[in-house]
Amino acid sequence: MPVTPKAPLAIVALATLLSLVVFTLPLTTLEAMTAALGLGPAQQAWIMSGMPLGAACGLLIAGAFGDTLGRRLTFVGGLWLTALASVAAALAPTGLFLIVARVVQGLGSAGIMACGLGLLGQIYEGEPRRRAAAIWAAGLGAGVALGPILAAALLPIGGWPAGHWAIALAATILALSASARLPESPRSPHRVDLTGGLLLMLGLGCLLSALTELRLGAFGVVGLLALGALAFLALFLRTERRAPNPILRLDLFAHAPFTGATLAAFASGAGVLALMSLVPTVLVRGMGQTPLMAAFVLLAWSALTAIAALSAHRLPARWSSRQRVIGGIVGCGVGQALMLLATPAASWAILVPGLLIAGVSNGILNAALGHEAVQSVPPERAAMGSAANNTARYLGSALGIALISILIAGRDGERFFAGWHEAVVMSTLFSGLAVFAMLGLARERGSLGAR
């Protein structure tokens, strides 16, 4: 029996964890950033949204670079870009400079996320691939768990820049390790579809910017950005139909497993990820907890997400990835619904059962999605499958966070929790709609197979 290499999996999993640390860093440092840089409400919103904006815009083009020029090259490039952007963020003299650095951090994370899972897909086969996908998914949960705690713990040592310095150091070490220990993927003779990549980045940039401005009530700007997003995305779809080497093969959406995995990733972003990302806000603003305490309470979700993903291989082998995805979304929906128990008079402990259920379910969901993302596309397009899946997750989270933020913005006391309850219902509906869509795709797939 061949020995399965461990170093590539460790490097990819740690780099994935680092990307999620970058994503969550402002959760417990935004107040310190605001005090140091004099940030207004708009700049605070953009600092929170900058990294996911850059990641969503860059994922598919990073996947195209990986499949065409080499996945290791793109993965390592993403790590170096993350390191440089983090140094810039740590040295940021103004809010605008920090926002730009956060967007570039997202672009670096796009290279990591798009090609990390693709590299695992080319290195591992069969059951080792399923186990590698579970460990990769555990990195997602561990990053969400460690990011806020790491940032809060470093505040007394070096202020809010300390977290960015730590990220820069970790990204540098991982970039050097990846260059030495990861294999390169075969290169494609085709040229990268730069036109399609530029149009997609502009379209998603306008879309996510519109969602950010929507949180601030700038409806005129939102309308202009939405029109720009529609125009650029329409041009992108037209370009992809004609491109010899598209960054997103539209014909893959005729394949039920790929469509299902993409829909489920979007639903997990708009549903459980968006709602749980704002649980610290409920704990701090609604229940009077400290940011560090809120980060520890969130571990009931984020840490269990990592543990459940690592343990997902112990589930019965007869359960398909699609069944695990559906079960995971259902469980997440139950955990989300239990967030309705939060009230002004309630203790933080009332949230723990929902966090635990959502954590276990989200871990199973992430592991199954990681496997489906590379399993549902041709082997030479593994980075595209991973990029499409993660793009859907980031888009969903951006939409969900924007809508939830609008519902709770400027509210206190009973009004705050009324808005929170509306947000819980909305995010749970996202999960419910995803389940119905997955079941519909399964029936369609079965009817096509019977013909």
Side-chain angles (χ1 to χ4, degrees):
M1 181 181 293
V3 178
T4 303
K6 296 181 179 179
L9 178 55
I11 293 168
V12 170
L14 288 172
T16 301
L17 183 154
L18 185 66
S19 295
L20 271 295
V21 169
V22 175
F23 175 71
T24 58
L25 199 67
L27 291 180
T28 48
T29 57
L30 187 61
E31 186 176 343
M33 293 176 185
T34 299
L37 300 176
L39 305 176
Q43 289 180 316
Q44 292 176 41
W46 273 102
I47 285 172
M48 290 292 292
S49 303
M51 185 274 178
L53 187 153
C57 290
L59 273 161
L60 279 170
I61 189 66
F65 275 118
D67 286 335
T68 303
L69 303 178
R71 293 172 195 150
R72 184 183 66 186
L73 176 66
T74 307
F75 182 83
V76 172
L79 283 165
W80 282 120
L81 188 58
T82 299
L84 292 173
S86 298
V87 170
L91 298 173
T94 65
L96 178 60
F97 196 98
L98 181 57
I99 290 167
V100 173
R102 288 283 294 164
V103 173
V104 179
Q105 282 180 324
L107 291 171
S109 294
I112 298 168
M113 299 290 286
C115 293
L117 197 53
L119 282 164
L120 297 182
Q122 82 183 44
I123 296 170
Y124 304 102
E125 297 284 346
E127 185 56 32
R129 176 185 286 180
R130 189 184 296 275
R131 191 174 298 113
I135 294 173
W136 174 87
L140 295 175
V144 174
L146 293 175
I149 295 173
L150 174 67
L154 290 175
L155 271 175
I157 300 171
W160 67 265
H164 294 287
W165 286 118
I167 290 168
L169 177 61
T172 299
I173 294 171
L174 285 169
L176 295 172
S177 301
S179 297
R181 304 300 296 272
L182 293 182
E184 186 54 282
S185 61
R187 297 194 174 195
S188 167
H190 300 291
R191 296 178 60 184
V192 176
D193 178 22
L194 292 178
T195 301
L198 178 61
L199 289 170
L200 181 65
M201 291 178 72
L202 290 170
L204 292 182
C206 286
L207 177 61
L208 294 177
S209 297
L211 291 173
T212 301
E213 293 295 324
L214 187 63
R215 294 162 64 179
L216 304 171
F219 298 111
V221 176
V222 169
L224 291 174
L225 288 170
L227 288 174
L230 287 173
F232 285 125
L233 291 175
L235 287 172
F236 165 72
L237 293 175
R238 180 182 179 187
T239 300
E240 294 309 281
R241 290 192 184 96
R242 301 177 178 181
N245 184 34
I247 64 171
L248 179 62
R249 279 178 46 184
L250 301 180
D251 63 297
L252 288 174
F253 286 100
H255 188 43
F258 177 82
T259 303
T262 306
L263 281 173
F266 180 86
S268 72
V272 67
L273 180 57
L275 190 70
M276 298 305 164
S277 295
L278 286 164
V279 163
T281 302
V282 175
L283 290 165
V284 173
R285 194 195 304 177
M287 297 182 173
Q289 301 297 320
T290 65
L292 186 58
M293 179 62 181
F296 275 108
V297 174
L298 191 64
L299 285 175
W301 169 66
S302 54
L304 264 188
T305 294
I307 294 169
L310 283 173
S311 306
H313 69 279
R314 299 182 184 277
L315 293 172
R318 66 179 180 275
W319 292 2
S320 67
S321 291
R322 181 183 59 79
Q323 290 172 326
R324 297 181 191 203
V325 168
I326 293 174
I329 296 175
V330 170
C332 286
V334 172
Q336 291 164 243
L338 288 174
M339 295 297 104
L340 289 169
L341 297 175
T343 64
S347 162
W348 59 265
I350 198 70
L351 300 178
V352 172
L355 292 171
L356 294 174
I357 293 171
V360 172
S361 304
N362 199 41
I364 294 170
L365 174 62
N366 284 344
L369 282 177
H371 183 263
E372 282 290 281
V374 295
Q375 194 75 9
S376 61
V377 295
E380 70 276 8
R381 290 296 189 179
M384 178 189 289
S386 174
N389 199 266
N390 284 296
T391 299
R393 183 183 282 108
Y394 275 113
L395 282 175
S397 67
L399 173 63
I401 289 172
L403 294 176
I404 295 170
S405 298
I406 291 168
L407 290 171
I408 63 176
R411 297 186 178 189
D412 294 304
E414 292 284 354
R415 292 181 65 250
F416 172 83
F417 282 96
W420 173 250
H421 292 160
E422 293 170 5
V424 171
V425 172
M426 180 197 69
S427 77
T428 306
L429 284 175
F430 274 120
S431 295
L433 290 173
V435 171
F436 283 115
M438 291 288 290
L439 291 173
L441 284 169
R443 285 195 296 269
E444 179 183 341
R445 184 183 182 186
S447 64
L448 287 173
R451 292 178 185 175

